[in-house]
Amino acid sequence: MRFLLLLAFFVMLPSFVRAQTLQNQQMTVQVSDGCLYGSLLLPKTDASLPVALLIAGSGPTDRNGNNPLGHNDSLKRLAQALAKRGIASLRYDKRGVGQSQAVAPDESQLTVEGYVDDAVAWSRLLQADPRFSAVVLIGHSEGALFASLAEPAVKPAALISVAGSGRPIGTLLQAQLQGRLPPSLLATASYLINELNAGRTHQQVPDSLQVLFRSSVQPYLISLFQQDPADAFANTRAPALIVQGTHDIQVSREDAQALKRARADAELAMINGMGHVLRITPQERKRQTSTYNQPELPIANELPERITQFLQIHSILPPSS
C-alpha cells in the first residue's frame, strides 16, 4: 500500500509542479488616451489556458486591488490562487492610477464608459493571444458592473461577478451611509446623491463629505448613478457566476439575489464568512475593517475553488486542472 501511495504521488507530481511554476509578465494595451499597464500571471506551460481579466472595484484602485483607503492585495491574491489552479489572469492599474495615471491625470475626466472601454481593450488583447483558449471576465465590486457592461462587446467564455451590487450605485451608497453618518450629514449626503442622480453638480460640499462628493468626482458619479447593475447583468449572455460573501459589509446577500433574479440561469455561490476584500472575516464591522489593510491574510479558499468548478462545468477549464 505504501508503494502505491508513493507511486500515486510521483504520478501527480509533474502537474503539481507545473501548477506551482508561475510566470509574471508586464503588459500594456493602447487605449484612446494612451497606454494602460497591467500584470499577466500564468502557469508556466505550453498548453493553451483560459485567462481571466480581473476588473477592480471603485475608487483609485490599482492592479493588486489596493487604494489609498486600503492595502490588502485582494486581486493579487486572487490571481495567485487562480494560477495555482491552471487559470491565467491579467490585472491592471485603472486609468488615472499607478502606471496608468497618465491616461486620466484629472479625475473629472473619468466616466463609466471609459472604464468599460478599457476592459474591452484588454479583453481583445487577450483574445488575440494564442496562449489563451478562452477569456473570462471577473469583476469585483464596482468592477462587476464594468464586466457586465463590457460583456456584449467582448463575448467572453464566462462572466463572474464577485461582490457586485444588484442595485443602482446611488441606492447602494445611501444604504452604506446609513448608521455611519450623523442625521444632518446623512440628509446632506442623500440630497447630493439625489442631485447627482438628476445630473446636477454642486460645488458646495461639507468638508466631511469631500472624500465622497468632491466636485472633481461628481461628473463620474453622475455617469455611474445612471447605471443599473441588475439591468446590465440581465443583458449578458455568457455563462454567469455570482459570488457573494455572507460577511460583506459593503454589498449584501440581497444584491446577489437581485442579480440572480435578473438572470435566472446564472449560478449563485454564497461563501460563508467572506468579507468584501475576499477574506474570511468576523461579521462585526469594526473588527472586519482591519482586514482591509492586512495583505498577508489569505483569500477565502472557497472563492477560487468555486470559480474553478464553474469553469470546469462549462468546459472552459479541463477537469484535470
Side-chain angles (χ1 to χ4, degrees):
M1 177 64 70
R2 178 182 174 85
F3 172 78
L4 290 176
L5 288 174
L6 286 172
L7 178 61
F9 173 78
F10 284 113
V11 168
M12 293 169 60
L13 187 58
S15 62
F16 176 80
V17 170
R18 283 198 300 271
Q20 297 296 312
T21 305
L22 307 182
Q23 180 180 1
N24 191 70
Q25 180 181 344
Q26 297 303 302
M27 300 283 286
T28 63
V29 69
Q30 187 72 36
V31 294
S32 59
D33 304 313
C35 277
L36 299 176
Y37 293 80
S39 296
L40 178 68
L41 186 65
L42 67 165
K44 195 172 183 180
T45 175
D46 293 331
S48 184
L49 300 170
V51 59
L53 179 67
L54 305 183
I55 305 174
S58 62
T61 304
D62 68 15
R63 70 186 73 183
N64 294 329
N66 302 322
N67 60 51
L69 298 179
H71 179 88
N72 53 73
D73 281 349
S74 55
L75 296 185
K76 180 179 180 180
R77 289 281 188 170
L78 177 57
Q80 293 168 339
L82 293 176
K84 291 175 182 177
R85 290 161 174 80
I87 306 163
S89 65
L90 190 144
R91 61 194 195 277
Y92 59 96
D93 293 335
K94 292 169 66 175
R95 53 174 55 218
V97 177
Q99 285 186 290
S100 302
Q101 185 174 9
V103 176
D106 183 347
E107 69 178 357
S108 65
Q109 302 169 348
L110 298 174
T111 63
V112 168
E113 293 76 15
Y115 284 136
V116 173
D117 288 345
D118 295 343
V120 171
W122 280 115
S123 298
R124 287 177 174 161
L125 182 73
L126 295 174
Q127 287 173 328
D129 193 319
R131 292 176 294 179
F132 305 123
S133 57
V135 171
V136 177
L137 299 182
I138 302 181
H140 176 243
S141 192
E142 192 176 292
L145 169 63
F146 304 151
S148 292
L149 292 171
E151 190 271 354
V154 173
K155 295 181 173 57
L159 170 67
I160 300 175
S161 167
V162 181
S165 175
R167 295 167 278 179
I169 305 302
T171 304
L172 176 66
L173 181 56
Q174 285 185 316
Q176 290 175 342
L177 295 177
Q178 290 287 338
R180 301 182 67 183
L181 294 176
S184 60
L185 270 183
L186 182 61
T188 301
S190 295
Y191 170 75
L192 289 170
I193 290 171
N194 291 334
E195 287 291 281
L196 293 169
N197 266 323
R200 293 188 288 268
T201 60
H202 281 264
Q203 298 301 310
Q204 301 301 317
V205 176
D207 290 344
S208 52
L209 294 178
Q210 284 286 329
V211 67
L212 290 174
F213 302 110
R214 58 195 178 276
S215 59
S216 58
V217 81
Q218 289 183 27
Y220 174 69
L221 292 177
I222 288 173
S223 75
L224 179 63
F225 289 175
Q226 302 310 305
Q227 302 294 333
D228 186 326
D231 285 349
F233 193 67
N235 288 328
T236 63
R237 294 293 177 268
L241 171 65
I242 304 160
V243 183
Q244 180 60 45
T246 62
H247 286 185
D248 195 322
I249 57 175
Q250 292 185 236
V251 178
S252 71
R253 305 183 202 196
E254 288 72 25
D255 287 290
Q257 295 289 354
L259 293 176
K260 174 66 174 175
R261 288 192 297 273
R263 269 197 66 177
D265 64 324
E267 181 179 331
L268 174 57
M270 290 287 189
I271 298 183
N272 190 42
M274 189 176 79
H276 196 69
V277 293
L278 315 183
R279 271 59 176 209
I280 299 300
T281 69
Q283 191 158 21
E284 197 271 320
R285 177 182 291 272
K286 289 184 179 178
R287 292 177 62 199
Q288 186 179 148
T289 52
S290 65
T291 64
Y292 285 57
N293 282 289
Q294 291 181 284
E296 71 279 5
L297 292 178
I299 65 168
N301 186 63
E302 190 178 347
L303 173 60
E305 287 295 334
R306 294 300 292 265
I307 292 173
T308 298
Q309 292 168 11
F310 172 75
L311 297 181
Q312 289 173 338
I313 288 170
H314 290 279
S315 302
I316 297 167
L317 183 68
S320 60
S321 298

